[in-house]
Amino acid sequence: MSITINIEAQLADLSETVRDEIARLLAGNQASKLLEAMKYSAISGGKYLRPFITYNVGKIFDLSIQDVIVAAASIEIIHCYSLIHDDLPSMDNDDLRRGKPSCHKAFDEATAILAGDALHTFAFEILSSENFNKDAEIRCKVINLLAKSIGMNGMAGGQMFDLQYEQLEVSEEEILTMQKMKTAYLFSVSAEIASILAKSNDIERLAIRNYGLKLGLAFQIIDDVIDVEGTEKHAGKKLGKDELAGKATLVSKFGIDYAKMKAHKLSQEAKSHLLALGDRDYNNLIAIADFVIARSY
Amino acid sequence: MSITINIEAQLADLSETVRDEIARLLAGNQASKLLEAMKYSAISGGKYLRPFITYNVGKIFDLSIQDVIVAAASIEIIHCYSLIHDDLPSMDNDDLRRGKPSCHKAFDEATAILAGDALHTFAFEILSSENFNKDAEIRCKVINLLAKSIGMNGMAGGQMFDLQYEQLEVSEEEILTMQKMKTAYLFSVSAEIASILAKSNDIERLAIRNYGLKLGLAFQIIDDVIDVEGTEKHAGKKLGKDELAGKATLVSKFGIDYAKMKAHKLSQEAKSHLLALGDRDYNNLIAIADFVIARSY
């Protein structure tokens, strides 16, 4: 299955909506240097791919943008927190992010750590509020799933393994587990949250979760390919860094061609999970799976 | 009002219970360097004063330790996350914490940042779980209150001001607002969470909230006094650091005597809020307010 849909144009549209929503959510808070740093990183020129997934999964279950916008924004806020912390000198030491200086370069390290922390907290603040969803059971389910996906057994744990694996010889399985934790779980939760909001059945929810997981893994592998093949202007971040840092990736272990093949396979697997959704119109989700491996930034 | 109750002995008892609970909560997770760092900081020799407040507020509303233990543990977990991040070189640069090397000294900076992050997330994971409380409305209320207290307008924002005020001439009001955000809000939420769990009425809840706020402010001022007057062995952390860093405190601005007087006054105010609780037995809360200003560590 492959369908001609202009994902880039749709992404650009939605990114504006999500950016506006994050700006709106942050606007009610007292002015401070900390808030400036949070806005600097969270209202910026990212792809906003994760909220785009939330939105598009919602759409196949007939949810409107209003139904999913707070959840989508909270996912992006968590992603921004992780970028700020991952870019720190003691972590991946990235000076450039989304085409501008990283938070700790534009401000300073302490401010960046606190801006990441405050964004992290803020996501849970907005998800626990009635303004997000009237049903407290649903709010708790979303919070619990998100927390499990980004904590010690998810994003933070994956980032830890990523640092530990530098300069080490690790297996393909270890690399994929690390990348699943570091990246794919947040993709998976971006998708699954929309199915929770839609109260979809267990089969649909599992299909959506697995779609997100495979999609996220394909995304990360292509990210590693771009680190070698991409242009910095296009990517908005420094490239060629994995080799310098001795990062464990499929590219460093098996080369570009194998990595691309693997990403392609994962993208196909992501699509195949959608078959469980039967008659629902999931063409956009297929197009996203194509986009993720075709992208060059 | 002043009552002879041995708070230190009670604190020692409860700290063991809370430590065990945190150990139990963390035990289910996969072994990793990150989990080791989290345990190193969260299962350690702290005072466990914040969970002690949660427990004692719960007790006046007839809640058992089982009713409040997860909430109490989550407060301590958040406190530990903040200590790990505050101790980092780019923040307060503390090498010693609770009588042993700070997390970034025992491990490394990246691990400490991620251990703080993962503890931060974990608190929200356990508070959103049914195992904490069957009522999802209550879970969301607790999460929302906690998030508001520790985010940009609370703990993280207060830490930011604390760093910004170094070497600056700031007013007493600015110092107190910063310390309220940095420290007192977490005390306040430690107390208020128990009143939410007890479904106490609005008057009681407000009294408890204000008690916690004044108590927390008094605690922070005495902490600044201990930084000048205390012994490192007793405090379990480096002292004399505020003057070196040029921290804005009541001690640095007005001297030890004024700071002690102010803390004493706040402790009295904390107690006076308890009058709204009528016939309930709040003797332990009074004893805690006395303890907080009498302590020398």
Side-chain angles (χ1 to χ4, degrees), chain A residues 25-26 28-35 38 81 85-86 88 90-91 108-111 113-114 116-118 120-122 124-130 134-141 143-148 150-153 155-161 163-164 177 181, chain B residues 25-26 28-35 38 81 85-86 88 90-91 108-111 113-114 116-118 120-122 124-130 134-141 143-148 150-153 155-161 163-164 177 181:
Chain A
L25 288 162
L26 286 172
N29 297 287
Q30 64 196 38
S32 68
K33 181 182 174 189
L34 183 60
L35 183 60
M38 293 164 74
Y81 128 61
H85 281 192
D86 288 357
L88 287 166
S90 64
M91 300 265 253
D108 52 62
E109 262 185 76
T111 306
I113 293 169
L114 289 169
D117 288 343
H120 186 174
T121 303
F122 191 58
F124 291 108
E125 181 183 330
I126 60 181
L127 289 176
S128 57
S129 157
E130 273 191 3
K134 291 275 165 268
D135 185 339
E137 286 285 355
I138 296 245
R139 298 205 295 280
C140 281
K141 267 189 199 168
I143 290 167
N144 198 254
L145 179 69
L146 178 62
K148 280 184 174 143
I150 66 171
M152 70 189 104
N153 304 319
M155 191 176 72
Q159 175 66 11
M160 182 82 256
F161 282 131
L163 295 169
Q164 283 181 269
T177 299
M181 293 169 72
Chain B
L25 289 161
L26 285 172
N29 297 286
Q30 66 196 39
S32 68
K33 181 182 174 189
L34 183 59
L35 183 60
M38 293 165 74
Y81 127 62
H85 282 192
D86 289 357
L88 288 165
S90 64
M91 301 267 251
D108 53 62
E109 261 185 76
T111 306
I113 293 169
L114 289 168
D117 288 344
H120 186 174
T121 304
F122 190 58
F124 291 107
E125 181 183 330
I126 59 180
L127 289 177
S128 57
S129 156
E130 272 191 4
K134 290 273 165 271
D135 185 339
E137 287 285 354
I138 296 243
R139 298 205 296 276
C140 281
K141 268 189 199 169
I143 291 168
N144 198 254
L145 180 69
L146 178 62
K148 281 185 173 141
I150 66 171
M152 72 188 102
N153 304 319
M155 192 176 72
Q159 175 66 10
M160 182 83 255
F161 281 130
L163 295 168
Q164 282 181 270
T177 299
M181 292 168 71

Side-chain angles (χ1 to χ4, degrees), chain B residues 122-237:
Chain B
F122 190 58
F124 291 107
E125 181 183 330
I126 59 180
L127 289 177
S128 57
S129 156
E130 272 191 4
N131 298 333
F132 159 45
N133 192 292
K134 290 273 165 271
D135 185 339
E137 287 285 354
I138 296 243
R139 298 205 296 276
C140 281
K141 268 189 199 169
V142 168
I143 291 168
N144 198 254
L145 180 69
L146 178 62
K148 281 185 173 141
S149 308
I150 66 171
M152 72 188 102
N153 304 319
M155 192 176 72
Q159 175 66 10
M160 182 83 255
F161 281 130
D162 193 35
L163 295 168
Q164 282 181 270
Y165 289 170
E166 284 179 7
Q167 314 290 350
L168 277 192
E169 192 61 48
V170 292
S171 70
E172 177 169 13
E173 201 194 323
E174 285 170 312
I175 292 171
L176 289 173
T177 299
M178 172 268 281
Q179 297 192 327
K180 198 164 69 179
M181 292 168 71
K182 184 178 82 154
T183 305
Y185 281 161
L186 192 60
F187 273 78
S188 183
V189 73
S190 303
E192 193 172 349
I193 277 183
S195 80
I196 293 175
L197 293 174
K199 301 184 184 174
S200 70
N201 67 43
D202 286 353
I203 291 172
E204 290 170 325
R205 185 166 157 188
L206 185 65
I208 290 297
R209 178 193 302 166
N210 285 326
Y211 165 80
L213 206 60
K214 299 285 168 68
L215 190 73
L217 213 38
F219 176 90
Q220 180 58 56
I221 293 169
I222 294 299
D223 228 44
D224 300 337
V225 169
I226 291 169
D227 187 71
V228 174
E229 280 193 338
T231 63
E232 293 190 0
K233 187 172 185 316
H234 208 182
K237 60 184 177 184

